[in-house]
Amino acid sequence: MPLEDLVYSMINRKGLTLKMELRNYMKTTHPGTEISKPGYLKQRMKLNPDAFKFLYQEHNKNFYQDEEVEPYTYKGFLILAADGSDINIPTTDETIEKYGSASVRGGKPCAQIGLGCIYDVLNRFILEISINTVKFDEMRVAQEQLKGIKDTIGNRYPYLVVMDRGYPSTPAFLNFIDDGVYFVARLKTSDYKAEQKELKSNDEDVDITLTKARRRNYIGKKEETIMMSRDSFSMRFVKVCLDDGKSEIFATNLPRDKFPEECFAELYHMRWGIETAYEVLKDRLKIKNFTGVKSVLIEQDINSTIYVNNLAEDIICDIEESSQEHLKNDYKHTMQLNRNLSIGLLKNDLIYILIEKDGNKKVALLQALYDEISKNVVPIRHDRHYHRTKGQLAANFSNTHKRSF
């Protein structure tokens, strides 16, 4: 199978049995031709998973570095979120050795991957994703990802990174401050406990002393250099009352004149976009439905799903932007595109656009896809809140949460 077909078949993947996937693909693209499962998998084993990483990074560059495109920003900043998530994968000796097991000691082995993600919450692009062992240092991975973020977004806009409670790390904060990276990190009550207790207002500059106790855990590690580079440093602590009545404290280096304390509840709320992105990957795009059990196949499936996700979000955002007035004013409620159906339509029709050789017909097919996606809208329900519950809430096939492909 040529490389082009190999790539297209993976983009077209719908989570069926491999035999059905190959049948449907070959029937669409090469009628009357067949390919065996072993032959297909043999070709897949030769493909570097980073090929799809290159594709989604190039797609992102085309968006951010296009002078005619104006990305969504907040106070002139791109708002990025960093977060990690776990994905269960086929349990084999290879996957256990490479990624580790999430099971407790003495329990049945369960291979799992840890994903580290940098996500643009306003433009809804996954900028970087890292495939790691099940237990990984999320902050260290985020630091490495952010080092190359300018290659993707260019220098047109500054950015800031919003992080949740699992991320605060003194060496990381020092590196961010030295490198001029703006951040907002939610603190646990145990983070800088003495400094939190001494706060006299909701927005203060706090001096953090690098005591022996704070340096002790980094002796002999690569973080030792930055921890020994100064005796203290200053960070801004902002206390915010959230909608549920609870208060949270955030550590940041954002300038007070541009980002007053009133901004931080909204900034932290924006971080939820990365949780929604993971939900789309896992539930809508079935990222956990793998082609095979080999690590190279698993990583190919993950990276190809990220590419399809970014492609779908690009089309959805483009349609929403061009139809903004219509969605806002021509209905009783402000509307938005039905993301589930949009993804389903893209997965069904994209292959026909990719294989079409005639440029005019390709444009016509793409426009037809745009037109059909734009017809499927749902109302935006503001200020909806649901009590967080645990356990099984619905049958295997929920009547309110159908899949679109």
Side-chain angles (χ1 to χ4, degrees), residues 164-233:
D164 208 7
R165 287 178 293 190
Y167 279 79
S169 157
T170 299
F173 288 157
L174 291 172
N175 278 311
F176 285 155
I177 291 169
D178 289 352
D179 294 341
V181 175
Y182 291 110
F183 64 88
V184 177
R186 183 184 179 189
L187 299 179
K188 299 190 291 288
T189 54
S190 57
D191 294 325
Y192 309 110
K193 194 171 183 179
E195 286 81 2
Q196 288 193 47
K197 190 179 292 186
E198 293 297 319
L199 287 177
K200 295 179 176 62
S201 68
N202 290 341
D203 188 354
E204 291 184 25
D205 291 322
V206 177
D207 288 325
I208 309 293
T209 303
L210 297 178
T211 62
K212 288 184 179 180
R214 282 178 172 154
R215 288 169 167 166
R216 185 181 302 125
N217 291 334
Y218 301 103
I219 302 300
K221 300 178 181 178
K222 69 176 186 178
E223 294 88 354
E224 180 181 1
T225 302
I226 190 105
M227 289 296 289
M228 301 300 290
S229 65
R230 68 209 76 185
D231 295 325
S232 65
F233 70 103

Side-chain angles (χ1 to χ4, degrees), residues 259-359:
F259 293 90
E261 68 175 85
E262 294 80 14
C263 297
F264 283 81
E266 185 178 5
L267 276 173
Y268 183 69
H269 179 70
M270 290 180 190
R271 195 205 68 85
W272 189 254
I274 196 170
E275 305 289 354
T276 304
Y278 275 127
E279 190 267 341
V280 169
L281 288 176
K282 293 180 179 181
D283 187 62
R284 303 286 194 267
L285 289 169
K286 310 179 199 176
I287 197 171
K288 294 186 286 186
N289 195 333
F290 298 108
T291 302
V293 300
K294 294 290 187 180
S295 62
V296 65
L297 300 178
I298 292 169
E299 293 187 12
Q300 287 171 0
D301 288 345
I302 290 173
N303 286 335
S304 63
T305 303
I306 302 301
Y307 175 62
V308 172
N309 174 82
N310 283 4
L311 197 59
E313 292 294 355
D314 193 6
I315 291 174
I316 292 168
C317 285
D318 193 25
I319 296 173
E320 285 182 338
E321 185 175 357
S322 62
S323 309
Q324 197 169 38
E325 292 300 317
H326 167 64
L327 296 174
K328 186 176 181 180
N329 299 322
D330 294 350
Y331 297 90
K332 180 179 178 180
H333 300 283
T334 300
M335 308 295 279
Q336 64 182 353
L337 295 183
N338 186 317
R339 182 164 278 99
N340 187 32
L341 279 176
S342 299
I343 290 172
L345 291 169
L346 177 70
K347 288 290 284 187
N348 281 321
D349 293 0
L350 182 59
I351 187 62
Y352 299 103
I353 298 171
L354 291 174
I355 65 174
E356 179 57 58
K357 302 300 183 183
D358 185 281

Side-chain angles (χ1 to χ4, degrees), residues 50 53 56-57 83 87 114-118 126-132 141 145 278 281 287 302-303 306:
D50 286 342
K53 191 170 185 177
Y56 77 70
Q57 286 176 338
D83 200 12
I87 291 184
L115 291 181
C117 178
I118 302 293
I126 294 172
L127 301 182
E128 290 288 342
I129 200 140
S130 173
I131 300 172
N132 310 281
V141 167
Q145 291 174 323
Y278 275 127
L281 288 176
I287 197 171
I302 290 173
N303 286 335
I306 302 301

Side-chain angles (χ1 to χ4, degrees), residues 1-12 47 51-52 55:
M1 177 178 276
L3 177 61
E4 182 179 87
D5 282 315
L6 203 61
V7 171
Y8 287 174
S9 69
M10 294 169 65
I11 292 173
N12 191 54
L47 181 64
F52 285 99
L55 284 178

Side-chain angles (χ1 to χ4, degrees), residues 387-401:
H387 179 66
R388 196 170 189 176
T389 57
K390 295 182 179 181
Q392 189 75 15
L393 300 180
N396 288 334
F397 302 98
S398 168
N399 285 325
T400 60
H401 205 61

